[in-house]
Amino acid sequence: MIRLEDLTKRFKTPGADIVAADRVNMEVPTGEICILLGPSGCGKTTALKMINRLIPPTSGKIYIDGQDTSQLDDIQLRRNIGYVIQQIGLFPNMTVEENICVVPRLLNWDIRKARQRAADLLDLVGLDPRQFLRRYPKELSGGQQQRVGVIRALAADPPVMLMDEPFGAIDPINREIIQDEFLKMQAELKKTIMFVSHDIDEAVKMGDKIAIFRAGRIEQYDTPDMILAHPANAFVADFVGADRTLKRLRLVTAEEVASTEVPVTARSTKVSDALHQLTVAKARRAVVIDSDRRPVGFVTAEEMAGASGAVRDFAHPLPATVPVRADLRAVVSEMFAHDTMWLACTDDHGRFAGVITQPDVTAALRATYGPDKGAGQEQGAS
Amino acid sequence: MEIIGFIANNWPVILRLAGEHISIVAVAVGLAILTGVPIGIAITQNRRVADGVLYVASIIVTIPSIALFGLMIPILSKIGQGIGWLPAVIAILLYSQLPIVRNTYTAITNVDPALREAATGMGMTPFQRLTRLEIPIAIPVIMAGVRTAVVMNIGVAAIAAYIGAGGLGVLIARGISQTDPRQLVTGALAVSLLAIVADWALLQLQKRLTPAGLKR
């Protein structure tokens, strides 16, 4: 847990004093990622760097797991906090192994234990230790360097990590991949993380909570969904963007919205049986699945009405399917691309996992707003 | 042909003088590394001190070597060393400060601030940061300064023959005073060759000392 209490930083300049952080109060529970978000010069990086005292606070307290960090000396404090910067900062004169072992060696770990740790961590991010331990940073791609930068910060297994725009210098495609990898890693490691970003999309994706900064103050500190659904003021609303409702689509997966109570039928089923099934389920269409339960098409009640034969004679192919783990933004994108009101979802093995409709999606977005929280205005937009 | 004959007949003398020459430059530049590198590192802490030190070092280089030798004669005479090996070493020690101090200072201050921030943020002390990060990265540039000092001062050491320091300058001085082109050309050739060989040897050393991760 990280707790900031009235944390303040004033810089003296010839003209006037600049307040970079103004009585910042916040608490990040153990195992959560908190994103410090805001435009440049808003004080988010200052707040972050006060935690490992790269910038000494003017006043206020910082507690890590209940301990007042002002009692610790700078060097000890920093060795127990993982630190990742945007420029990565791998030491060019050291191999990947030596880079990862820096903090363990500073903490006087046994060299063999430190090396083993380096190899394990490389494995964790999918870099083959035999291939990468002896390489130098310049021999790695940008994405590989950033992975090593992250595991270097994890090397001594610190409970707390500070990340200053860690994925800011990576191209968009690799950034998505590394973000996903990092979230997967975090699900196991459960570090308490402060993460500076200026990218609302990254914040929404990575953060358990988001703190929005302006001029050294926190404007709002809440979950991504609450910030997108209920911005505290005009500044926050403006910062998260006019399309904030669409951004919320990323917070929900298809699984949470898809309806699984959809009639399914096989190609060989008799039309009369299928129609009976639809009547009982009070549904207008059924999804056709193959013997492995993979969705292969659909039939509608209208087209089969009064006909005889098998389902396969009336089946239409599915325009597309979406993985049930996809977020709603991907789902909506597929719907728009295929001009369809609904899509079948598949699980990890390609088996049918439910159906998701456009009304399901809008209903999911509406749910957070509730009856007394400006729902009418939002409905109008959706 | 005359010159080749002269060289062939005077091998032992030429080698002895070259040995003297090398000893003057090696001792002086060696001491200059021991003083100049720490000075170059120390002045990175304060911009104004750095400007002052580099200014003084630049002025020293503008003093003609003959004048510097002349200045030292009355001072060093007090310990009976007004001429000879010692003033030559001191002059070269002073001339070497500029390239070595300046290159050290530039190399350390040019270390990427992000690396410094990462090192500090990970919990290195300033001394650990210096020895594990900044000096290894600065080595190629510091060595370039040493090479400059050596090449420059092989020339200065030749002039030190006039204050009785010995070295290959003796051949040149004699060549001039005896109007003997054989000695003059031999001395000049030997000094040039020494400079070229020393520069090449130091370049090899520089490559050896450069961390593998920094090599191109």
Side-chain angles (χ1 to χ4, degrees), chain A residues 28-319:
Chain A
V28 185
T30 304
E32 287 198 356
I33 301 180
C34 168
I35 311 282
L36 309 182
L37 183 68
S40 359
C42 68
K44 55 190 195 294
T45 302
T46 305
L48 185 87
K49 288 184 180 175
M50 280 194 282
I51 297 172
N52 64 1
R53 255 183 266 148
L54 284 178
I55 298 177
T58 308
S59 64
K61 294 263 186 203
I62 299 159
Y63 296 89
I64 292 179
D65 291 334
Q67 189 184 18
D68 180 355
T69 60
S70 63
Q71 307 299 317
L72 301 167
D73 83 280
D74 292 4
I75 303 294
Q76 288 310 319
L77 174 71
R78 289 173 189 152
R79 287 178 187 174
N80 288 300
I81 296 177
Y83 188 46
V84 187
I85 58 176
Q86 179 180 355
Q87 305 89 333
I88 310 176
L90 292 183
F91 303 142
N93 55 317
M94 300 183 191
T95 61
V96 166
E97 181 177 55
E98 288 164 341
N99 265 287
I100 300 172
C101 291
V102 165
V103 179
R105 299 291 284 150
L106 289 173
L107 293 170
N108 291 319
W109 282 25
D110 177 53
I111 181 78
R112 293 214 312 274
K113 184 179 161 198
R115 284 190 175 151
Q116 184 57 46
R117 176 79 178 150
D120 292 347
L121 284 167
L122 277 174
D123 251 338
L124 192 66
V125 292
L127 298 175
D128 180 5
R130 278 167 308 178
Q131 209 181 3
F132 285 95
L133 279 173
R134 305 262 165 256
R135 285 207 194 166
Y136 285 94
K138 63 163 188 193
E139 296 165 326
L140 307 181
S141 71
Q144 290 166 342
Q145 287 187 16
Q146 192 51 277
R147 287 179 177 88
V148 174
V150 170
I151 59 176
R152 180 175 70 169
L154 285 168
D157 205 16
V160 167
M161 301 248 293
L162 305 179
M163 307 179 82
D164 189 359
E165 305 205 17
F167 310 129
I170 302 172
D171 65 89
I173 294 172
N174 273 303
R175 189 186 313 152
E176 288 278 335
I177 296 171
I178 294 189
Q179 284 169 344
D180 291 336
E181 280 178 10
F182 185 75
L183 284 175
K184 221 178 279 177
M185 221 154 74
Q186 165 66 1
E188 279 180 38
L189 300 175
K190 301 231 186 319
K191 301 292 179 192
T192 309
I193 299 171
M194 283 272 212
F195 184 126
V196 166
S197 178
H198 61 253
D199 176 1
I200 173 73
D201 289 311
E202 178 173 68
V204 167
K205 177 173 181 178
M206 306 295 287
D208 293 302
K209 292 242 178 63
I210 298 176
I212 298 201
F213 275 74
R214 177 172 62 161
R217 288 168 183 265
I218 294 184
E219 293 284 320
Q220 188 171 5
Y221 180 44
D222 218 326
T223 60
D225 197 44
M226 287 299 283
I227 282 183
L228 291 173
H230 306 291
N233 54 39
F235 173 78
V236 176
D238 204 36
F239 189 79
V240 298
D243 61 342
R244 58 193 160 87
T245 303
L246 290 179
K247 290 191 169 102
R248 293 182 50 225
L249 291 171
R250 296 201 70 168
L251 295 170
V252 187
T253 60
E255 196 163 22
E256 297 168 53
V257 175
S259 140
T260 48
E261 288 160 21
V262 176
V264 291
T265 179
R267 269 184 277 209
S268 53
T269 308
K270 272 194 276 180
V271 165
S272 55
D273 292 348
L275 278 172
H276 176 70
Q277 201 185 348
L278 283 171
T279 316
V280 171
K282 296 202 181 73
R284 283 175 42 237
R285 61 173 173 260
V287 173
V288 181
I289 56 174
D290 66 11
S291 55
D292 291 328
R293 289 195 59 80
R294 282 194 290 262
V296 291
F298 69 94
V299 287
T300 63
E302 295 98 76
E303 286 172 354
M304 294 192 296
S308 59
V311 160
R312 74 164 64 80
D313 306 326
F314 296 90
H316 299 278
L318 291 167

Side-chain angles (χ1 to χ4, degrees), chain A residues 343-361:
Chain A
L343 285 170
C345 303
T346 54
D347 65 12
D348 292 347
H349 306 285
R351 292 187 296 245
F352 179 65
V355 156
I356 187 163
T357 67
Q358 285 194 19
D360 290 340
V361 173

Side-chain angles (χ1 to χ4, degrees), chain B residues 198-210:
Chain B
D199 190 50
W200 179 85
L202 286 169
L203 180 62
Q204 302 314 307
L205 181 64
Q206 176 180 339
K207 286 180 179 165
R208 284 283 298 277
L209 291 177
T210 302

